[in-house]
Protein backbone atom coordinates (compact mmCIF):
# COMPACT_ATOMS: atom_id res chain seq x y z
CA UNK A 1 0.00 0.00 0.00
CA UNK A 2 2.75 2.48 0.94
CA UNK A 3 4.68 1.80 -2.25
CA UNK A 4 1.58 2.39 -4.37
CA UNK A 5 0.72 5.57 -2.50
CA UNK A 6 4.24 6.89 -2.90
CA UNK A 7 4.31 6.04 -6.61
CA UNK A 8 1.01 7.84 -7.13
CA UNK A 9 2.60 11.08 -5.89
CA UNK A 10 5.33 11.14 -8.53
CA UNK A 11 4.73 14.35 -10.54
CA UNK A 12 4.50 12.65 -13.93
CA UNK A 13 1.71 10.44 -12.57
CA UNK A 14 -0.45 13.39 -11.51
CA UNK A 15 -3.15 14.82 -13.74
CA UNK A 16 -3.44 18.60 -13.90
CA UNK A 17 -6.68 19.03 -11.97
CA UNK A 18 -6.95 22.73 -12.87
CA UNK A 19 -6.66 21.98 -16.58
CA UNK A 20 -9.23 19.20 -16.30
CA UNK A 21 -11.80 21.28 -14.41
CA UNK A 22 -11.36 24.28 -16.72
CA UNK A 23 -11.92 22.18 -19.85
CA UNK A 24 -14.53 19.66 -18.77
CA UNK A 25 -17.70 19.80 -20.87
CA UNK A 26 -19.99 18.18 -18.32
CA UNK A 27 -21.73 19.95 -15.42
CA UNK A 28 -19.57 20.16 -12.30
CA UNK A 29 -20.62 20.72 -8.73
CA UNK A 30 -18.12 21.33 -5.94
CA UNK A 31 -19.21 20.69 -2.38
CA UNK A 32 -17.15 22.36 0.33
CA UNK A 33 -17.58 22.15 4.09
CA UNK A 34 -17.90 25.62 5.60
CA UNK A 35 -15.46 24.74 8.38
CA UNK A 36 -13.00 22.73 6.26
CA UNK A 37 -9.52 23.00 7.77
CA UNK A 38 -7.74 21.07 5.00
CA UNK A 39 -8.86 22.90 1.86
CA UNK A 40 -8.89 26.68 1.68
CA UNK A 41 -12.25 27.55 0.09
CA UNK A 42 -10.79 30.74 -1.40
CA UNK A 43 -8.78 28.51 -3.76
CA UNK A 44 -11.93 27.83 -5.77
CA UNK A 45 -12.29 31.55 -6.54
CA UNK A 46 -9.05 31.38 -8.51
CA UNK A 47 -10.37 28.73 -10.88
CA UNK A 48 -12.18 29.22 -14.16
CA UNK A 49 -14.88 26.54 -14.19
CA UNK A 50 -17.25 27.26 -17.10
CA UNK A 51 -19.63 24.41 -16.27
CA UNK A 52 -19.79 25.04 -12.51
CA UNK A 53 -23.35 24.38 -11.36
CA UNK A 54 -25.13 27.59 -10.35
CA UNK A 55 -21.80 29.37 -10.96
CA UNK A 56 -20.77 28.81 -7.35
CA UNK A 57 -19.22 26.30 -5.01
CA UNK A 58 -21.85 24.68 -2.82
CA UNK A 59 -20.95 25.50 0.79
CA UNK A 60 -22.24 22.95 3.28
CA UNK A 61 -22.83 24.53 6.72
CA UNK A 62 -21.90 22.80 9.97
CA UNK A 63 -19.29 20.62 8.30
CA UNK A 64 -15.57 20.38 7.74
CA UNK A 65 -13.61 18.31 5.23
CA UNK A 66 -16.24 15.52 5.01
CA UNK A 67 -19.58 17.29 4.57
CA UNK A 68 -21.18 14.11 3.24
CA UNK A 69 -20.60 12.57 6.69
CA UNK A 70 -20.73 15.63 8.95
CA UNK A 71 -23.92 17.16 7.54
CA UNK A 72 -25.39 14.49 5.33
CA UNK A 73 -28.88 16.05 5.31
CA UNK A 74 -27.75 19.30 3.67
CA UNK A 75 -25.22 17.50 1.49
CA UNK A 76 -27.82 15.05 0.19
CA UNK A 77 -30.35 17.80 -0.44
CA UNK A 78 -27.92 19.81 -2.55
CA UNK A 79 -26.60 16.70 -4.30
CA UNK A 80 -30.17 15.73 -5.23
CA UNK A 81 -30.83 19.23 -6.58
CA UNK A 82 -27.68 19.01 -8.71
CA UNK A 83 -28.53 15.55 -10.03
CA UNK A 84 -32.11 16.56 -10.83
CA UNK A 85 -30.84 19.61 -12.71
CA UNK A 86 -28.69 17.54 -15.03
Amino acid sequence: MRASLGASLIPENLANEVEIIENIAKPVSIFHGMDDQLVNGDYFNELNIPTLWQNQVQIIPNSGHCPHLENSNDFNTILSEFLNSI
Side-chain angles (χ1 to χ4, degrees):
M1 179 356 208
R2 289 183 183 161
S4 296
L5 179 60
S8 73
L9 299 175
I10 297 172
E12 60 264 13
N13 292 339
L14 296 176
N16 184 333
E17 62 189 23
V18 172
E19 183 178 310
I20 292 169
I21 203 78
E22 289 181 346
N23 293 302
I24 196 165
K26 299 184 186 286
V28 172
S29 186
I30 298 175
F31 296 80
H32 183 71
M34 182 179 284
D35 302 316
D36 192 329
Q37 293 181 337
L38 296 176
V39 177
N40 181 348
D42 292 335
Y43 170 72
F44 301 115
N45 296 330
E46 300 171 13
L47 302 176
N48 173 32
I49 310 172
T51 60
L52 183 62
W53 182 56
Q54 296 185 341
N55 296 312
Q56 63 184 2
V57 172
Q58 304 304 305
I59 305 298
I60 310 298
N62 305 313
S63 63
H65 192 67
C66 298
H68 60 290
L69 297 175
E70 298 165 358
N71 186 347
S72 58
N73 287 336
D74 286 354
F75 179 90
N76 289 337
T77 297
I78 297 171
L79 177 59
S80 291
E81 291 172 4
F82 170 65
L83 294 174
N84 287 331
S85 76
I86 60 170

